[in-house]
Amino acid sequence: MSRIGKHPVPVPAGVDVKVDGQQVTAKGKLGQLSLTLIDDITASLEDGKVVVKPANDSKRARTMWATSRTLINNMVTGVSQGYTINLEINGVGYRAAVQGKELVMQLGFSHDVKYPIPEGISIKCDKPTAISVSGYDKHKVGQVAAEIRGWKKPEPYKGKGIKYETETVLRKEGKKK
């Protein structure tokens, strides 16, 4: 028995969830997301909660049970509250700013790095060294944050680069005389 899959997904007020066969759709104040479940998983709407169950006793059904439940939970949370990932920029002269529909970063290269902001994602730079990526699709928010971080990952000697707010950079000792 899956410990995660057996818990139903609560649907908060203001979120409309529809289950049509293998298609699950969540619509809220921030947007609309849909998910197609595999044939080994069934979902149903009972008492304002989405209940996910394996259709049979195969290994694939048992492994995808909790995964499907978590994906549905991420959809419901995303359209009701949204997701935010904060990034920090460390380094002399490293900074970022939002200009129109682009994130312009100065990361020590000979040119500015221009990152186009995808649809459904909002990026804010309250300070020149802080980037906030937010949206209603958890996967997309994480992907955009990882792509921005990928331009200049934090290095272990001085810690220069772009890192997640919660990330700790393991520092190495420099060379000795």
Side-chain angles (χ1 to χ4, degrees):
M1 183 102 185
S2 172
R3 285 186 249 187
I4 295 172
K6 67 182 176 183
H7 298 293
V9 177
V11 179
V15 176
D16 183 34
V17 176
K18 293 179 184 169
V19 179
D20 184 31
Q22 297 303 101
Q23 191 75 21
V24 180
T25 307
K27 188 174 185 179
K29 62 182 180 185
L30 297 178
Q32 179 175 346
L33 291 171
S34 64
L35 172 72
T36 304
L37 298 173
I38 63 169
D39 293 333
D40 296 336
I41 302 295
T42 59
S44 60
L45 195 60
E46 300 172 5
D47 302 328
K49 295 179 181 179
V50 180
V51 179
V52 181
K53 293 181 180 174
N56 51 41
D57 201 30
S58 67
K59 183 174 174 75
R60 184 165 188 238
R62 285 180 286 136
T63 57
M64 294 301 290
W65 183 14
T67 303
S68 301
R69 187 256 179 217
T70 303
L71 291 174
I72 293 170
N73 188 46
N74 289 345
M75 283 181 7
V76 170
T77 305
V79 296
S80 63
Q81 300 168 3
Y83 291 100
T84 301
I85 295 179
N86 296 318
L87 299 166
E88 292 177 354
I89 302 175
N90 295 323
V92 178
Y94 289 13
R95 58 186 171 271
V98 176
Q99 295 176 355
K101 295 192 178 226
E102 283 185 330
L103 176 67
V104 179
M105 299 175 283
Q106 295 170 345
L107 301 173
F109 300 125
S110 62
H111 59 281
D112 291 352
V113 175
K114 294 181 180 177
Y115 182 81
I117 300 172
E119 196 70 35
I121 298 291
S122 67
I123 297 179
K124 294 178 190 163
C125 292
D126 296 330
K127 297 187 287 185
T129 59
I131 302 171
S132 178
V133 181
S134 58
Y136 58 86
D137 189 353
K138 187 174 186 177
H139 174 74
K140 206 171 192 182
V141 170
Q143 182 67 37
V144 168
E147 287 173 3
I148 292 171
R149 181 183 178 270
W151 280 104
K152 195 76 158 188
K153 291 182 182 172
E155 53 96 15
Y157 295 101
K158 291 185 177 179
K160 292 168 59 172
I162 303 173
K163 69 179 191 81
Y164 296 112
E165 187 180 53
T166 57
E167 181 180 9
T168 55
V169 180
L170 292 174
R171 303 294 284 273
K172 289 184 180 177
E173 187 177 354
K175 63 182 181 181
K176 301 178 190 107
K177 289 188 177 183

